[in-house]
Amino acid sequence: MSLDVTALRQQFPILKTQIDGKPLVYLDNAATTQKPQAVIDALVEFYTTCNANVHRGSHYLSDEATRRYEKARTTVASFIHANAKEEVIWTSGTTESLNIIAHGLAQQLQPGDEVLITEMEHHANLVTWQQACIKTGAKLVVIPINEAGELEVARFEAALNTQTRLVAFPHVSNALGTINPINELTAMAKKVGALVSIDGAQGIAHGGVDVQAIGCDFYSFSGHKLFGPTGIGCLWGRQQVLEDWPVWQTGGEMIADVEYQNTTFGALPNRLEAGTPNIAGAIGMAAAIDWFAALDQHAIQTHEKALLARANELAADMPGMRLIGTAKHKVGIMSFLLDGTHPADIGFILDRQGIAIRTGDNCAQPLMKRLKIPGTARASFSIYNTIEEVEAFFNALKKAQTMLA
Ligand code: PMP
């Protein structure tokens, strides 16, 4: 069965937006996805019918809010095939998840230890580890990519040794679209006993994640890139690893027993979740997952591949267009440069035509420096985009090219 994109689009109120009389063409999905009515309704419903604080009330509303909030955790756990719901820690997003891991790691690293990352990192999966290394005297080792934007897997394997404490890589690169062979990389890192942390910000919405099958120790992701609200995300960690992980924020909710001079911390997941959480966000994220998981995953993938294939076809006919990231395995992310133009000017002219793309360094300055480019223009496709929108994007690009010539 093919995806009924017309029906799907009906569920996204924002897609009806007109910009200066032109229909919105939203191609900035790697930055954040739009929200279906089911998610918007879940947020409104929570605040309308059962808003209360969780885990501490002795009244109906609090019990109901707690029930829905914890059910949301179960939804996430089963979506990523976690072993237990206690392995799912609510965070504000991928960035916070990675910071929790880096904060704990910094308490364990010693001079001589090594942390491996890749050349394709988003700043969230780079500055975090870099700062942990600076604090502790550990070494940050950066594994190169090839010209297509694929990780040099042999170099990755060769860099692993008994000093490697943690290996961090993205499931999918936000700047290049590359899908990394995460199972293979994890298996290699496990042979030397390193912890494996996967930045799943871009991977979570593309193709199903099974953390147990991957074999990693941490998988981090954000709700807003999965059709859910902003300000909510998850840190999944293997239970044995999380149980000993150093607490990061302290305060209410994360304790077992408090005295003036000492505190015993609570059990998972609460020990890593201090303070009042983003209750509505968690419920909204679960609504997004329920909505997304009910779609035909095979049809989604086929549709996304068709969008990218059409874009590649049109790009091949576009004079002066240089694609940044041509990996064999990639998602619907097209980063590019147009000869003689600056990405910011392209973005501006496309915006005048109602087409939303991203321009700039894609939060990956070292990668841009490695590629010797100032940044890119980036179109990123999602399940509600159409072939006609891809074509409109290329027509607009041609117009921009003529205007800027
Ligand atoms: N890693 C990657 C690969 C990303 O694309 C992003 C978001 N652009 C992040 C991490 C950070 O995610 P967030 O801003 O939701 O914390």
Side-chain angles (χ1 to χ4, degrees), residues 42-109:
L43 294 172
V44 172
E45 218 251 333
F46 170 73
Y47 282 121
T48 312
T49 65
C50 75
N51 175 55
N53 213 329
V54 289
H55 294 156
R56 47 190 101 184
S58 49
H59 57 81
Y60 171 81
L61 284 185
S62 177
D63 288 347
E64 184 58 15
T66 304
R67 192 185 65 73
R68 293 191 195 191
Y69 172 73
E70 288 303 331
K71 184 165 172 264
R73 196 190 302 274
T74 307
T75 301
V76 171
S78 62
F79 182 60
I80 58 172
H81 300 271
N83 193 37
K85 80 184 187 79
E86 288 71 22
E87 296 185 332
V88 172
I89 311 298
W90 294 116
T91 65
S92 65
T94 309
T95 303
E96 189 169 272
S97 305
L98 295 169
N99 272 277
I100 296 173
I101 311 168
H103 171 268
L105 189 74
Q107 295 183 36
Q108 301 173 0
L109 287 177

Side-chain angles (χ1 to χ4, degrees), residues 264-282:
T264 318
F265 302 124
L268 284 177
N270 304 41
R271 68 191 294 275
L272 292 169
E273 295 176 344
T276 299
N278 183 353
I279 306 162

Side-chain angles (χ1 to χ4, degrees), residues 69-327:
Y69 172 73
E70 288 303 331
K71 184 165 172 264
R73 196 190 302 274
T74 307
T75 301
V76 171
S78 62
F79 182 60
I80 58 172
H81 300 271
N83 193 37
K85 80 184 187 79
E86 288 71 22
E87 296 185 332
V88 172
I89 311 298
W90 294 116
T91 65
S92 65
T94 309
T95 303
E96 189 169 272
S97 305
L98 295 169
N99 272 277
I100 296 173
I101 311 168
H103 171 268
L105 189 74
Q107 295 183 36
Q108 301 173 0
L109 287 177
Q110 294 181 352
D113 287 346
E114 295 184 3
V115 175
L116 249 68
I117 61 168
T118 76
E119 272 184 342
M120 66 173 87
E121 303 305 339
H122 184 283
H123 296 156
N125 205 36
L126 191 166
V127 185
T128 32
W129 314 116
Q130 171 202 79
Q131 292 300 307
C133 287
I134 289 172
K135 263 191 219 126
T136 57
K139 186 172 159 199
L140 189 68
V141 179
V142 186
I143 309 301
I145 55 171
N146 64 21
E147 286 313 301
E150 292 158 332
L151 188 67
E152 299 268 17
V153 176
R155 302 274 292 271
F156 175 89
E157 189 168 27
L160 291 163
N161 63 70
T162 53
Q163 295 303 110
T164 314
R165 293 285 159 262
L166 181 128
V167 168
F169 48 81
H171 186 167
V172 170
S173 157
N174 63 308
L176 307 167
T178 311
I179 304 172
N180 282 314
I182 55 174
N183 294 23
E184 191 188 339
L185 299 176
T186 301
M188 287 173 181
K190 282 291 153 200
K191 277 194 196 145
V192 297
L195 288 170
V196 176
S197 165
I198 300 181
D199 169 356
Q202 298 293 342
I204 192 71
H206 297 279
V209 169
D210 181 335
V211 289
Q212 293 189 69
I214 299 166
C216 56
D217 298 286
F218 302 106
Y219 190 97
S220 303
F221 56 105
S222 307
H224 72 97
K225 299 202 200 256
L226 185 62
F227 312 101
T230 50
I232 187 76
C234 285
L235 163 61
W236 171 83
R238 183 184 299 287
Q239 192 153 359
Q240 304 91 294
V241 177
L242 278 189
E243 238 140 37
D244 295 333
W245 209 249
V247 300
W248 70 298
Q249 289 189 332
T250 52
E253 288 277 305
M254 51 79 68
I255 52 88
D257 186 61
V258 181
E259 295 183 20
Y260 278 113
Q261 303 300 336
N262 194 33
T263 294
T264 318
F265 302 124
L268 284 177
N270 304 41
R271 68 191 294 275
L272 292 169
E273 295 176 344
T276 299
N278 183 353
I279 306 162
I283 290 167
M285 182 163 171
I289 289 175
D290 283 340
W291 175 86
F292 180 69
L295 300 173
D296 178 340
Q297 298 298 312
H298 180 70
I300 288 174
Q301 298 227 357
T302 308
H303 179 61
E304 285 190 354
K305 283 197 182 114
L307 294 173
L308 183 64
R310 182 68 183 130
N312 277 328
E313 210 171 72
L314 292 167
D317 278 347
M318 182 91 189
M321 186 166 187
R322 176 177 160 205
L323 297 184
I324 309 296
T326 50

Side-chain angles (χ1 to χ4, degrees), residues 3-76:
L3 195 65
D4 185 347
V5 184
T6 310
L8 195 73
R9 288 178 69 84
Q10 294 298 325
Q11 301 183 48
F12 288 81
I14 208 168
L15 296 180
K16 298 189 180 76
T17 303
Q18 299 264 323
I19 295 167
D20 285 339
K22 301 181 185 82
L24 165 71
V25 176
Y26 186 76
L27 302 179
D28 195 15
N29 295 288
T32 199
T33 52
Q34 297 302 345
K35 321 305 171 199
Q37 192 65 49
V39 170
I40 299 167
D41 287 348
L43 294 172
V44 172
E45 218 251 333
F46 170 73
Y47 282 121
T48 312
T49 65
C50 75
N51 175 55
N53 213 329
V54 289
H55 294 156
R56 47 190 101 184
S58 49
H59 57 81
Y60 171 81
L61 284 185
S62 177
D63 288 347
E64 184 58 15
T66 304
R67 192 185 65 73
R68 293 191 195 191
Y69 172 73
E70 288 303 331
K71 184 165 172 264
R73 196 190 302 274
T74 307
T75 301
V76 171

Side-chain angles (χ1 to χ4, degrees), residues 307-350:
L307 294 173
L308 183 64
R310 182 68 183 130
N312 277 328
E313 210 171 72
L314 292 167
D317 278 347
M318 182 91 189
M321 186 166 187
R322 176 177 160 205
L323 297 184
I324 309 296
T326 50
K328 194 157 161 246
H329 298 291
K330 64 177 285 187
V331 301
I333 288 179
M334 179 170 267
S335 283
F336 63 94
L337 291 168
L338 274 187
D339 277 355
T341 68
H342 193 281
D345 294 332
I346 301 277
F348 180 78
I349 294 174
L350 262 58

